[in-house]
Amino acid sequence: MDCCVYKIICLTNGRIYIGSAKNFITRKKSHLKLLRKGTHHSRHLQNSFNKYGIRNFEFSIIEFCTLEDRWNREQYYLDTLLPEFNVLKNATGGYLPLI
């Protein structure tokens, strides 16, 4: 089971981003590629990344889940943790292909 809900935390200010992925490693690489290019869909995450640098960000898996339960589990964490970096507040698979 590779499917999971994950978070990105800025260690400097404590703000977080919540997401889910079929493959965490692939999704992490996708986030980092966009952040390094300066084109991440979350303007607030991009601004913090630009200001504090990659060393101040941590990616971690919150929970492994089934593919069928992926959106429900992501929504639970969006509602519970109230992440500041998320543009969308609903777990819909928003911006990128379902990685």
Side-chain angles (χ1 to χ4, degrees):
M1 176 187 331
D2 292 329
C3 196
C4 68
V5 178
Y6 64 89
K7 74 176 176 178
I8 304 170
I9 183 167
C10 177
L11 301 172
T12 305
N13 60 26
R15 293 181 178 163
I16 62 173
Y17 176 96
I18 297 294
S20 65
K22 285 193 229 179
N23 183 305
F24 176 69
I25 299 300
T26 301
R27 186 67 181 105
K28 178 181 176 181
K29 288 178 183 178
S30 176
H31 276 295
L32 289 171
K33 180 179 179 181
L34 293 170
L35 288 165
R36 287 181 177 123
K37 284 176 52 178
T39 59
H40 197 278
H41 65 270
S42 171
R43 180 176 47 92
H44 297 298
L45 178 57
Q46 184 68 62
N47 289 342
S48 286
F49 185 85
N50 294 346
K51 183 174 183 178
Y52 301 117
I54 192 169
R55 293 176 193 253
N56 287 294
F57 284 84
E58 180 178 277
F59 288 72
S60 60
I61 294 173
I62 300 173
E63 176 183 329
F64 288 99
C65 58
T66 64
L67 186 60
E68 296 78 23
D69 204 27
R70 175 181 174 184
W71 305 124
N72 290 332
R73 299 310 301 154
E74 181 180 351
Q75 189 63 53
Y76 169 80
Y77 289 103
L78 287 169
D79 294 342
T80 304
L81 299 177
L82 304 172
E84 300 87 349
F85 288 142
N86 286 71
V87 175
L88 300 176
K89 300 303 180 186
N90 294 314
T92 61
Y95 283 91
L96 294 176
L98 302 179
I99 306 172

